[in-house]
Amino acid sequence: MTSTSNLQITNDSKLKLAIQKSGRLHDDSMKLLKECGIDVNNNANKLKADASNFPLELFFLRDDDIPQYVEDGVADIGFVGENVVYEKEKELIIVEKLGFGKCRLSIAVGRSEAYTDSSFLEGKKIATSYPVIVQNYLNKHAIKAEIHEISGSVEIAPGIGLAHAICDLVSSGSTLFMNGLKEVETILQSEAVLVKSNKLNQEQEKLLNKLVFRIQSVKKAKNNKYVLLNAPNKNLEEIIKLLPGMKSPTVLPLANEGWSSVHSVINESDFWDIIEQLQALGAQGILVVPIEKMII
Ligand code: ATP
Ligand code: MG
């Protein structure tokens, strides 16, 4: 019996989660489970593993196979790149973005090519591991081009005369650069997502809700910081306006008269902007602390 659930654990009230066996998504997938308080023995040499404190069974698979396994119901849910989800066109539902595995699927051509817009691709040969997504893109732009499907090292195709253009995953762009290519169109922004099969029973939906709730709390915590600072009372009102916090900031008097200690939560994206304004209002001793979980 687990500490997190008083459900009877039968096969029907257990979730089977497929994650990448090894590769770019494996470590972040395991880390996210850990941050959600789910303990799993990380032995990716095995095909399966059980969580010890959540009714969850893990399957370690190749990322390309995850949509099929989820559609077939071999796994109930999966962590997989959006790019793979769209390419495989299986019957599954995207439940939640996971905040890691960020990349883009882009078209690239030789650096010396005079590329102005996608009409460049008309009648050309495009090498890719994503023929479905590329074909959809071409259809949308009414372009006729030949797609040459290859499973790896797509970036070398133009150099060896196999294709005029490629469509591949990019994060920093350094692989393209090293192969004399330039990125000319982004056709998809991708990150790892949680997918589910449309055949979950009620108990499994309940478990999934629990898992999603934990994932959202972890994601919120990552996007926010806890801030503590000393504020001169004369500017307290304005400082509080900058720091709305979850309800409103905590304000405590300091032993030193005329000063208060203010505690609040601020969003990562507004962080530097707000810190500068706080300093301008005379805030001192600003401490910024990471948050582990945020339940609101
Ligand atoms: P597998 O053996 O599981 O089939 P793979 O070689 O197909 O692995 P990886 O290279 O490990 O796959 O990439 C897995 C996923 O990581 C990609 O499908 C994509 O969603 C994401 N990703 C993030 N950044 C990049 C990047 N720069 N290049 C490729 N994939 C990336
Ligand atoms: Mg793969």
Side-chain angles (χ1 to χ4, degrees):
M1 200 42 50
T2 72
S3 58
T4 56
S5 168
N6 49 15
L7 294 165
Q8 280 278 309
I9 300 175
T10 63
N11 262 345
D12 289 345
S13 57
K14 202 175 193 187
L15 274 180
K16 288 171 282 174
L17 165 66
I19 70 165
Q20 194 187 22
K21 184 175 169 62
S22 64
R24 289 173 200 264
L25 302 181
H26 175 82
D27 290 354
D28 284 331
S29 299
M30 294 302 290
K31 187 165 146 246
L32 179 61
L33 290 175
K34 193 167 195 296
E35 287 166 337
C36 289
I38 297 173
D39 296 330
V40 186
N41 276 338
N42 182 12
N43 187 349
N45 291 328
K46 292 192 301 192
L47 174 64
K48 293 198 285 184
D50 277 313
S52 57
N53 57 355
F54 198 92
L56 189 78
E57 186 176 15
L58 254 74
F59 283 67
F60 301 107
L61 300 168
R62 287 203 54 192
D63 66 344
D64 315 68
D65 298 335
I66 290 176
Q68 180 76 61
Y69 279 111
V70 174
E71 185 188 75
D72 292 346
V74 174
D76 305 306
I77 58 173
F79 290 172
V80 65
E82 273 177 290
N83 50 303
V84 175
V85 176
Y86 298 134
E87 181 61 27
K88 299 296 176 187
E89 296 187 307
K90 299 293 174 199
E91 268 189 45
L92 35 88
I93 300 157
I94 295 182
V95 181
E96 183 76 25
K97 296 200 181 219
L98 298 176
F100 61 85
K102 290 190 179 168
C103 58
R104 52 194 189 274
L105 187 62
S106 289
I107 294 185
V109 299
R111 237 183 336 255
S112 57
E113 299 278 9
Y115 184 99
T116 49
D117 58 51
S118 56
S119 64
F120 171 92
L121 300 169
E122 185 68 42
K124 301 262 175 26
K125 214 171 181 184
I126 308 168
T128 187
S129 310
Y130 293 88
V132 172
I133 298 176
V134 174
Q135 190 59 61
N136 288 340
Y137 173 83
L138 295 175
N139 294 348
K140 200 170 122 209
H141 291 81
I143 297 165
K144 287 204 162 51
E146 188 186 329
I147 296 173
H148 191 93
E149 183 179 351
I150 43 181
S151 59
S153 304
V154 174
E155 65 282 353
I156 65 167
I160 59 172
L162 188 68
H164 305 102
I166 66 160
C167 183
D168 203 7
L169 292 172
V170 185
S171 43
S172 70
S174 59
T175 307
L176 296 181
F177 185 81
M178 282 187 311
N179 285 279
L181 301 173
K182 62 178 176 189
E183 189 178 352
V184 290
E185 303 282 349
T186 297
I187 67 175
L188 177 73
Q189 295 282 354
S190 177
E191 67 181 88
V193 289
L194 166 59
V195 293
K196 70 165 182 174
S197 117
N198 54 13
K199 299 186 201 88
L200 299 194
N201 64 37
Q202 246 182 343
E203 295 302 332
Q204 291 172 320
E205 288 285 356
K206 271 194 212 157
L207 287 174
L208 178 59
N209 283 344
K210 269 191 184 193
L211 178 63
V212 170
F213 176 74
R214 293 190 190 189
I215 291 172
Q216 287 172 342
S217 305
V218 170
K219 272 169 57 187
K220 267 183 223 137
K222 278 187 191 156
N223 290 333
N224 288 279
K225 297 272 181 265
Y226 192 71
V227 187
L228 304 94
L229 56 88
N230 295 331
N233 286 347
K234 62 179 169 46
N235 290 340
L236 199 53
E237 222 169 285
E238 279 179 88
I239 287 178
I240 286 172
K241 270 194 220 142
L242 286 173
L243 294 169
M246 287 198 270
K247 269 212 170 63
S248 73
T250 308
V251 180
L252 302 164
L254 285 190
N256 195 344
E257 214 172 298
W259 286 82
S260 299
S261 168
V262 181
H263 302 194
S264 191
V265 171
I266 61 178
N267 196 278
E268 182 89 78
S269 55
D270 308 328
F271 180 75
W272 288 112
D273 210 29
I274 291 182
I275 295 293
E276 278 166 21
Q277 295 181 60
L278 291 171
Q279 281 178 316
L281 287 166
Q284 294 180 1
I286 304 175
L287 299 181
V288 181
V289 187
I291 302 170
E292 195 180 310
K293 308 269 189 313
M294 233 171 112
I295 320 290
I296 46 177

